[in-house]
Amino acid sequence: MLDLLKKYFGYDDFLPLQEEIIASVIKRRDALVIMPTGGGKSLCYQLPALRFDGLTLVVSPLIALMKDQVDALKSNGVVAAFINSTLSYAEMRRVQALAQQRVLKILYIAPERLALPGFRNFLRTLDVSLVAVDEAHCISEWGHDFRPDYRTLGDLRRSLSHVPFIALTATATERVREDIVAHLDLRDPQKFIASFDRANLEYAVRPKRNTFDALLDLLEKYRGESAIIYCFSRKDTEAVAAGLSDEGFHALPYHAGLEHDVRSQTQEKFIRDEVPIIVATIAFGMGIDKSDIRLIVHYDLPKSLEGYYQETGRAGRDGLPSDCVLFYSYGDKIKHDFFLDQIADETERQNALEKLAQTIAFCELQTCRREYLLNYFGQHWDKENCGGCDVCLAATETFDATLIAQKMLSAVVRTNERFGIGHVSQVLRGANIKRIRELGHDKLSVYGIVDDFSDDDLKEIAGLLIAQELLYKKGREYPTLGVTESGRSFLKNRAQLTLTRRKREEEPTASSRTTRDYDRALFDDLRLLRSRIASEQNVPPYIIFSDATLQHMAYYIPQSRENLSRISGVGAVKLAQLGDAFLSAICDHARQNNLTERNLPSQQRGKNRNTRRKGSTYDLTKQLLHQGLSIAEMAKQRGLAERTVISHIERLILAGEDMDLRPLMPPLEHFKKIKTAFHTSSSTALTPVKNLLGDVYSYDELRLVRAFLHQRERRKATADEHR
Ligand code: ADP
Ligand code: MG
Ligand code: ZN
């Protein structure tokens, strides 16, 4: 499974629960998956789809999203399509034919199709291996987005009673969960409930004062990256967007009062990175999967914490650090009260008032905001300091600094008070670098005596010691550290020292380090390249590569195909199609700036993966092929259909394997005709070629020749590259 994950999606590891969910689905057991936005739900059915022989049907209510999701799959080499009302009749027939010919692995369908008798007949002609119901809360009246069409899924379930169903949603309430199980008639489903903590989101509440200036500062931090600003009223969205434009930020308003066309254009521009900032009422964001939104601002108080969680949840789906900032004043409550007073229904009004009160309590909190949010959704949180909300980040702690202060002051003295904190820190932490050896500082008794503080920690402590007047700074441009008189007596008297510092959570992880220290200029270059390719291919940029992947590239600076392929997010097909363009941009930048590659952490893991691959179903097929067996013989030996064996071969080739397919080719006459037909139809789709050639040729033959030609093209491309 890790193999498929890397080859088709480019990732090295699963996100929490993904592996367990996929394993359960592959065993053909029904599953209910509750995971927050950005948790990686799609993969839970997309990866099993690659393992099953038949088709995976995906039901999703978000028509606008289907095309992007299918484009994303195609860009990874997965054969997928969708059927919804945006297709012409002819297009729909074509997709249906592809599904019937078993060319498609994944088919997205809109729920309203299911009610049409013609469509049901079509479904009966398919070999369905798995049904995934995305946004499954739409089946429940208790959810926030009930779709009556989802109820017809019960019928689908009954007509596909032998097929496993997986239902996925980000809505966690017990009632909705029960509804999903009941209406979909899930049988003894395995339930997976992920933590609703979004670890990469930082939550902050700020007083509503000089709000617009504060907003400008926030946007400055993320200039050029995507942000959504939520306002209370339509009028405010227009005013704020206009104000931002005056300040040189490219921003557009979005609200329900705008023409439908204007709204969809605005949304499209945002998805395609043509406008980075949207100022919106809550109407914006439902139907978009954009993974690289870095900032969500609530310019006004949200109505409920459900809404707040959902809106902030749109930030950072790619897992990179992102900010959620809410501007709060008690005055906002009065604005809301005015509207709530107009609710006629007494219970409904009480309900709304209660939700508002909980939101206000969240704003006025003196304790961890993350903890409050999670508790609100019925989940437990036991860290004392989350390290990712304004309350926790402002928390301080006192600690015994006697020893570290002694070490630092000694290091300053031993290096003759001629160096800055950067060098002192390197000496203390025992850095193995030329300059230190040249100065002979690796021979000092203070060399390498600190191993429990990071460079950042030591810099912070130096600052604290300066504030205590134990150290002082000399010089302006390259300040060096000196020890004060009281510093010397502190050392001599072996005095005790207690300091106060910002409270911290545990050590930063490798990935957060990557995301801090990447080469910003290279990242910007790569983003430009991405935009160019995206507009050539007419897909949203995040489908090409996510920001997270580009940041990994800008950190590791891979300069060979091999190393590029190790970057998280670079799968086999993307490597083949985009590898050259991105490599040459990286190499240019590296040459101009004298940068070298960093070691990639996954090298070791790559080895494990190879051993794990032994014994995978694909590997067995590959071995038999090496032994010179024919398709029929392989199928017999493995107890599989010939078609399945051929599909293994196709997937192995697509995933970048190099194999000798010549023994599997049809007689030369046939081979030539098929090759010409692919050439004439100038597409890799089978049906047009089959139509050209007629019934004498089988689909199996066509697929094998297609795989052969694909591999030959690729060999040519690699040969050119080495020339
Ligand atoms: P959800 O539907 O739960 O909101 P998605 O399926 O849209 O989440 O995935 C969110 C993001 O996480 C996407 O950008 C996706 O490519 C990425 N992602 C999914 N699985 C992994 C993984 N195993 N490693 C890294 N990124 C992943
Ligand atoms: Mg999703
Ligand atoms: Zn916190």
Side-chain angles (χ1 to χ4, degrees):
M1 276 174 354
L2 278 172
D3 239 16
L4 287 178
L5 182 68
K6 181 63 191 169
K7 279 183 185 158
Y8 283 97
F9 302 95
Y11 301 129
D12 298 306
D13 295 300
F14 287 105
L15 297 176
L17 287 186
Q18 279 181 333
E19 191 166 15
E20 292 88 329
I21 295 166
I22 291 167
S24 156
V25 170
I26 286 174
K27 281 191 221 129
R28 304 173 56 85
R29 180 164 172 194
D30 284 356
L32 174 66
V33 173
I34 319 276
M35 235 188 217
T37 308
K41 289 188 282 298
S42 323
L43 201 81
C44 299
Y45 52 83
Q46 290 173 346
L47 198 138
L50 296 172
R51 286 281 299 264
F52 287 129
D53 286 332
L55 180 71
T56 291
L57 280 181
V58 183
V59 182
S60 162
L62 304 169
I63 291 186
L65 267 182
M66 281 186 194
K67 185 172 180 307
D68 289 349
Q69 283 172 340
V70 165
D71 282 345
L73 283 166
K74 284 186 185 160
S75 78
N76 281 321
V78 181
V79 197
F82 63 86
I83 293 184
N84 63 32
S85 52
T86 66
L87 292 190
S88 68
Y89 184 71
E91 287 168 326
M92 189 185 79
R93 293 297 309 173
R94 195 181 59 83
V95 171
Q96 290 188 334
L98 290 176
Q100 282 161 335
Q101 287 148 11
R102 312 176 58 105
V103 178
L104 286 184
K105 281 274 91 179
I106 303 183
L107 176 62
Y108 281 78
I109 50 180
E112 74 270 8
R113 295 276 130 181
L114 294 169
L116 310 174
F119 195 76
R120 294 210 180 161
N121 290 336
F122 157 67
L123 286 183
R124 271 193 273 279
T125 65
L126 303 178
D127 172 18
V128 179
S129 291
L130 173 67
V131 176
V133 181
D134 207 357
E135 314 291 342
H137 56 272
C138 293
I139 210 166
S140 169
E141 280 161 318
W142 302 108
H144 50 85
D145 194 20
F146 175 54
R147 308 280 176 116
D149 285 325
Y150 258 60
R151 287 290 165 85
T152 55
L153 282 166
D155 295 338
L156 183 70
R157 153 49 112 194
R158 278 179 284 281
S159 66
L160 294 172
S161 53
H162 57 288
V163 174
F165 270 54
I166 173 174
L168 312 102
T169 175
T171 306
T173 69
E174 186 58 41
R175 205 163 195 178
V176 172
R177 247 181 255 171
E178 284 167 7
D179 261 11
I180 294 172
V181 174
H183 288 294
L184 282 179
D185 195 13
L186 296 183
R187 267 161 269 157
D188 183 28
Q190 193 156 358
K191 293 183 187 161
F192 298 93
I193 299 166
S195 164
F196 271 62
D197 175 32
R198 299 285 313 276
N200 59 317
L201 302 190
E202 189 173 310
Y203 300 99
V205 177
R206 303 247 192 106
K208 210 168 175 176
R209 249 181 278 121
N210 301 329
T211 320
F212 189 71
D213 289 340
L215 179 64
L216 292 178
D217 285 344
L218 286 170
L219 292 171
E220 195 55 57
K221 174 173 171 195
Y222 289 114
R223 196 173 261 283
E225 300 190 65
S226 299
I228 306 176
I229 299 152
Y230 287 109
C231 294
F232 186 72
S233 72
R234 298 174 183 184
K235 205 171 87 245
D236 291 346
T237 66
E238 310 251 351
V240 172
L244 289 176
S245 299
D246 289 345
E247 295 291 333
F249 286 96
H250 192 16
L252 286 178
Y254 183 104
H255 55 74
L258 294 170
E259 294 279 331
H260 179 266
D261 282 355
V262 176
R263 285 206 315 255
S264 54
Q265 277 163 21
T266 301
Q267 177 163 322
E268 193 69 3
K269 282 185 187 156
F270 182 65
I271 291 174
R272 294 182 185 243
D273 284 349
E274 286 160 20
V275 53
I277 306 166
I278 299 292
V279 190
T281 52
I282 51 164
F284 185 77
M286 268 296 280
I288 59 176
D289 246 359
K290 191 168 170 45
S291 68
D292 54 7
I293 300 174
R294 292 277 81 86
L295 172 69
I296 301 282
V297 175
H298 283 86
Y299 209 71
D300 298 298
L301 186 68
K303 273 209 273 297
S304 70
L305 280 179
E306 282 90 348
Y308 172 77
Y309 180 81
Q310 211 179 51
E311 285 142 24
T312 53
R314 293 176 185 139
R317 289 168 93 117
D318 54 10
L320 295 179
S322 309
D323 275 315
C324 310
V325 179
L326 189 165
F327 288 103
Y328 168 65
S329 81
Y330 196 75
D332 273 359
K333 176 186 177 321
I334 296 162
K335 260 203 264 184
H336 278 279
D337 280 345
F338 176 77
F339 283 92
L340 296 187
D341 279 345
Q342 294 169 4
I343 299 177
D345 184 87
E346 177 61 26
T347 356
E348 208 181 305
R349 190 173 65 243
Q350 283 309 324
N351 231 325
L353 280 170
E354 191 179 322
K355 292 213 180 291
L356 186 61
Q358 283 158 334
T359 313
I360 288 168
F362 172 80
C363 293
E364 295 183 341
L365 223 50
Q366 301 295 321
T367 53
C368 179
R369 300 202 199 271
R370 192 176 301 272
E371 178 185 32
Y372 186 92
L373 268 181
L374 289 176
N375 289 344
Y376 183 83
F377 292 110
Q379 292 195 337
H380 186 63
W381 175 260
D382 51 13
K383 270 194 213 167
E384 195 200 335
N385 187 307
C386 83
C389 79
D390 52 347
V391 178
C392 289
L393 287 171
T396 55
E397 61 186 3
T398 55
F399 70 108
D400 180 358
T402 309
L403 198 60
I404 188 67
Q406 284 171 356
K407 288 177 179 175
M408 188 174 284
L409 294 181
S410 310
V412 172
V413 171
R414 292 286 144 78
T415 53
N416 298 321
E417 305 180 61
R418 283 178 34 228
F419 297 90
I421 178 60
H423 184 76
V424 172
S425 160
Q426 281 173 335
V427 171
L428 282 170
R429 291 183 306 118
N432 180 17
I433 53 174
K434 199 157 138 237
R435 187 165 143 79
I436 288 188
R437 287 194 301 271
E438 280 170 1
L439 291 161
H441 288 174
D442 56 334
K443 305 284 184 310
L444 298 176
S445 58
V446 290
Y447 179 77
I449 53 171
V450 169
D451 59 9
D452 45 352
F453 289 84
S454 71
D455 187 49
D456 282 347
D457 293 340
L458 291 180
K459 285 179 177 153
E460 184 186 14
I461 286 168
L464 297 172
L465 294 179
I466 290 170
Q468 297 288 318
E469 296 184 341
L470 298 175
L471 282 177
Y472 70 102
K473 258 190 197 171
K474 318 178 269 196
R476 281 182 150 238
E477 204 175 345
Y478 301 105
T480 55
L481 291 176
V483 178
T484 61
E485 267 321 304
S486 39
R488 285 173 209 286
S489 57
F490 165 78
L491 274 180
K492 204 164 75 208
N493 301 335
R494 302 181 172 274
Q496 290 290 311
L497 179 67
T498 304
L499 292 176
T500 306
R501 66 174 171 188
R502 200 162 65 66
K503 214 167 174 170
R504 65 205 57 224
E505 35 147 19
E506 71 266 42
E507 273 293 281
T509 59
S511 80
S512 73
R513 218 172 304 125
T514 313
T515 55
R516 268 209 318 264
D517 299 341
Y518 64 91
D519 185 313
R520 179 73 209 204
L522 177 54
F523 176 63
D524 289 342
D525 281 359
L526 297 178
R527 287 184 88 216
L528 278 178
L529 176 63
R530 176 178 70 178
S531 300
R532 218 193 61 220
I533 296 175
S535 69
E536 276 166 21
Q537 300 189 0
N538 197 25
V539 295
Y542 70 85
I543 285 182
I544 301 292
F545 282 128
S546 71
D547 273 8
T549 298
L550 297 188
Q551 288 189 5
H552 274 90
M553 291 182 192
Y555 179 81
Y556 291 109
I557 326 210
Q559 292 172 47
S560 65
R561 267 184 113 70
E562 167 68 14
N563 284 342
L564 182 65
S565 77
R566 290 227 189 84
I567 297 286
S568 168
V570 181
V573 170
K574 288 203 172 149
L575 181 69
Q577 292 181 347
L578 305 164
D580 290 342
F582 279 82
L583 266 183
S584 80
I586 295 170
C587 291
D588 282 353
H589 182 88
R591 207 173 324 112
Q592 283 159 21
N593 298 283
N594 228 338
L595 302 173
T596 49
E597 296 186 338
R598 280 184 213 241
N599 285 337
L600 278 132
S602 62
Q603 239 152 337
Q604 191 52 45
R605 212 169 330 113
K607 282 194 196 123
N608 295 341
R609 220 180 7 249
N610 283 335
T611 44
R612 254 187 236 143
R613 180 163 57 202
K614 285 230 176 70
S616 87
T617 179
Y618 295 100
D619 199 61
L620 287 173
T621 301
K622 197 174 130 193
Q623 282 169 16
L624 296 178
L625 179 64
H626 277 310
Q627 292 165 20
L629 270 62
S630 70
I631 297 284
E633 287 162 344
M634 286 190 256
K636 188 151 174 251
Q637 180 142 352
R638 304 237 17 226
L640 298 169
E642 290 188 19
R643 201 195 288 134
T644 309
V645 174
I646 293 176
S647 79
H648 286 177
I649 290 169
E650 287 186 291
R651 282 186 231 165
L652 283 161
I653 293 288
L654 267 185
E657 291 284 346
D658 200 89
M659 300 182 300
D660 187 4
L661 299 180
R662 279 170 306 177
L664 305 180
M665 289 304 107
L668 193 61
E669 261 327 285
H670 267 217
F671 175 81
K672 279 188 183 158
K673 284 248 168 62
I674 297 174
K675 186 180 140 195
T676 318
F678 271 115
H679 205 78
T680 318
S681 89
S682 72
S683 119
T684 53
L686 294 174
T687 323
V689 174
K690 178 91 164 109
N691 290 342
L692 276 172
L693 292 169
D695 278 342
V696 190
Y697 295 80
S698 72
Y699 271 109
D700 288 353
E701 266 178 312
L702 301 192
R703 286 162 67 187
L704 283 168
V705 172
R706 178 173 66 178
F708 178 86
L709 295 173
H710 181 89
Q711 169 162 284
R712 198 164 67 177
E713 282 299 307
R714 191 174 57 211
R715 284 181 182 166
K716 262 197 226 146
T718 3
D720 285 347
E721 183 191 318
H722 289 305
R723 206 166 285 147

